[in-house]
Amino acid sequence: MNFQSVTLNAGSERRLKAGHLWIYSNEIDTAQSPLKNYVAGEQVVVQDARGKALGIAYLNPSNLICGRLVSRDVRYPLDRSLLVHRFKVALGLREMHFPQPCYRLVYGESDGLPGLVIDRFFDIFVVQISTAGMEAVRDEIVDAMNKVFQPQAILFRNDGKMRAMEGLDSYVEVLQGEVPEYAPLVENGVNLVAPVLDGQKTGWFYDHRDNRARMMQLAKGKRVLDLFSYVGGWGAQALAAGAAEVVCVDASQTALDVAAENARLNQGEMRFKGLRGDAFDICKALIAEGERFDIVITDPPAFIQRRKDIRNGERAYSRINNFAMRLLGRDGVLIAGSCSMHLTRESLVDILRGNTRELDRSAQLFIQGHQGADHPIHPAIPETEYLKACFLRVLPAS
């Protein structure tokens, strides 16, 4: 297979050689490689200024992140054969850690497949393609999945925000088999369901699995408030662990209906309550009513989508965790989560420190949680590490 080449400016190969996979448009020598000569999704041989090949990337000439490296050997382009290999390597990591086949099977760059996410719910596979380069090999992805996994069903949830930036249409398509409204899964030994057809992203967030397991160790006999609960990932597992009561708060009634089903699956329907509305408003109402909880979980959507959002986003994290602390009973535990890549762990801890001081409390940070093994971090790509969870025991000022 003959590919065009793209030449980098002198010195621009350093980051790729250090392990990163991205090529920015200003790193390309546009005199030798005019971007107008390439089409979105095209695979190219990347070479340094001296003409030495660095590997194969796919391009999108209209984007700031103009290229993503998919192979460091020009003999192996992104095709069915390479996908089969990458899938087998990815599967090996997941089978090392998880007893049931319920996990993020492919996590983009960290699994050598930038622009591709696959979540697995037993034999139902939910695929998200976010780049033109991956869309160009969509059929090969399906062929490779069938060779390695023999899925009962394949669902494409290609309706993420990044697709518009890549010039791609948004669509949801059942490509193979039958996909139920609720896909079954097991997390931390707990039976649950996810609305894969019309839920957020792939329908479930596996990334907090380890943090939820730690929460379960604390939940028995406790009153738990799960803010931004979505379908009750935290709350249902608290019920399974023996929580006395769980209150899930979310803006979506549809999500709360699934949370109620997850409570029922764990014999917790009589201990479950769903509150629909804005989490900030509901917190204010609960404070006014004098409600108190033993554990409060704040796991909001990303308040910081881009760098320019950092200041406003930090204020939002501060505000919701202030409310959460005010809803804690004596010696209560706050589990403060963040999925904002642009919020550093140090910044989140500092926000929580500030919250304790403005409320004249003291605190003990006893666990700092991370994303699970099915969301591996690429050592050269800090953007692949995004999830934080701070477990904080909040005490009277000492």
Side-chain angles (χ1 to χ4, degrees):
M1 198 178 293
N2 291 322
F3 296 123
Q4 292 194 80
S5 63
V6 65
T7 302
L8 302 182
N9 293 317
S12 291
E13 76 283 356
R14 289 186 195 123
R15 198 160 29 78
L16 292 181
K17 284 186 171 180
H20 212 295
L21 303 181
W22 296 352
I23 302 164
Y24 290 94
S25 56
N26 61 4
E27 294 175 328
I28 292 174
D29 182 344
T30 51
Q32 288 198 61
S33 307
L35 291 176
K36 66 178 183 348
N37 291 355
Y38 306 95
V39 297
E42 179 179 354
Q43 293 188 55
V44 298
V45 174
V46 182
Q47 56 188 32
D48 66 17
R50 295 183 300 275
K52 182 185 177 186
L54 301 169
I56 292 178
Y58 62 69
L59 292 190
N60 191 333
S62 61
N63 272 7
L64 175 62
I65 300 175
C66 188
R68 289 176 165 87
L69 206 67
V70 291
S71 173
R72 294 186 182 273
D73 189 328
V74 295
R75 295 174 299 171
Y76 303 116
L78 182 60
D79 59 11
R80 179 181 181 273
S81 176
L82 184 65
L83 286 159
V84 165
H85 172 67
R86 295 268 197 266
F87 287 166
K88 287 179 176 177
V89 173
L91 180 63
L93 176 67
R94 279 68 183 183
E95 289 188 336
M96 194 188 300
H97 287 92
F98 306 115
Q100 288 98 0
C102 302
Y103 39 65
R104 175 146 294 181
L105 172 63
V106 172
Y107 176 48
E109 281 82 353
S110 295
D111 285 300
L113 293 169
L116 181 65
V117 162
I118 303 176
D119 278 354
R120 183 173 186 178
F121 303 86
F122 292 104
D123 290 325
I124 298 169
F125 290 66
V126 183
V127 182
Q128 283 196 310
I129 293 172
S130 58
T131 58
M134 275 295 161
E135 188 75 18
V137 294
R138 190 186 105 136
D139 292 345
E140 290 85 346
I141 290 169
V142 174
D143 287 348
M145 287 172 67
N146 278 315
K147 178 170 177 58
V148 179
F149 308 110
Q150 300 87 46
Q152 171 200 320
I154 298 174
L155 169 66
F156 277 95
R157 281 295 305 270
N158 287 339
D159 51 355
K161 293 177 185 173
M162 262 189 71
R163 288 181 64 86
M165 294 167 57
E166 289 275 320
L168 298 172
D169 293 337
S170 177
Y171 64 91
V172 176
E173 180 184 354
V174 177
L175 197 84
Q176 183 171 307
E178 292 185 12
V179 177
E181 182 182 9
Y182 295 164
L185 69 126
V186 173
E187 184 176 288
N188 298 320
V190 179
N191 291 308
L192 301 154
V193 293
V196 293
L197 286 164
D198 54 10
Q200 291 181 30
K201 299 198 174 178
T202 63
W204 187 260
F205 296 96
Y206 281 120
D207 50 3
H208 265 306
R209 179 196 316 253
D210 293 351
N211 302 316
R212 292 181 184 131
R214 285 164 164 164
M215 175 274 299
M216 290 173 73
Q217 296 170 355
L218 309 172
K220 188 172 184 179
K222 299 295 196 292
R223 191 168 191 235
V224 178
L225 176 64
D226 181 4
L227 297 171
F228 307 96
S229 68
Y230 180 45
V231 296
W234 293 88
Q237 291 183 60
L239 289 167
E245 182 188 1
V246 168
V247 177
C248 284
V249 175
D250 201 84
S252 164
Q253 186 58 52
T254 305
L256 288 173
D257 291 344
V258 183
E261 173 62 13
N262 280 324
R264 188 192 65 76
L265 285 171
N266 290 283
Q267 294 75 50
E269 61 264 46
M270 302 305 293
R271 296 173 285 139
F272 170 85
K273 182 179 181 183
L275 293 177
R276 178 180 171 270
D278 176 83
F280 293 90
D281 292 340
I282 287 176
C283 281
K284 282 191 272 191
L286 291 171
I287 290 166
E289 291 162 12
E291 295 283 0
R292 292 293 180 271
F293 298 85
D294 302 300
I295 300 171
V296 178
I297 300 146
T298 61
D299 184 20
F303 287 149
I304 305 172
Q305 299 275 2
R306 297 173 296 276
R307 285 189 190 279
K308 68 181 184 64
D309 302 328
I310 287 176
R311 188 182 294 264
N312 286 339
E314 286 182 343
R315 278 199 284 263
Y317 283 110
S318 176
R319 195 162 153 246
I320 196 63
N321 285 300
N322 175 293
F323 286 152
M325 286 185 189
R326 288 160 67 186
L327 284 163
L328 284 171
R330 186 173 182 84
D331 295 354
V333 171
L334 169 64
I335 303 173
S338 168
C339 61
S340 294
M341 182 193 72
H342 295 297
L343 181 72
T344 66
R345 191 170 296 275
E346 294 74 21
S347 294
L348 179 58
V349 171
D350 196 53
I351 286 167
L352 297 171
R353 178 201 57 76
N355 289 142
T356 62
R357 296 318 307 136
E358 66 199 13
L359 295 172
D360 195 27
R361 309 272 175 89
S362 63
Q364 295 169 315
L365 177 59
F366 61 95
I367 293 172
Q368 291 202 56
H370 301 259
Q371 60 215 58
D374 53 350
H375 291 68
I377 296 161
H378 192 303
I381 307 178
E383 293 87 352
T384 59
E385 181 177 11
Y386 67 94
L387 198 75
K388 281 81 58 178
C390 292
F391 287 62
L392 208 69
R393 186 176 178 224
V394 181
L395 304 163
S398 53

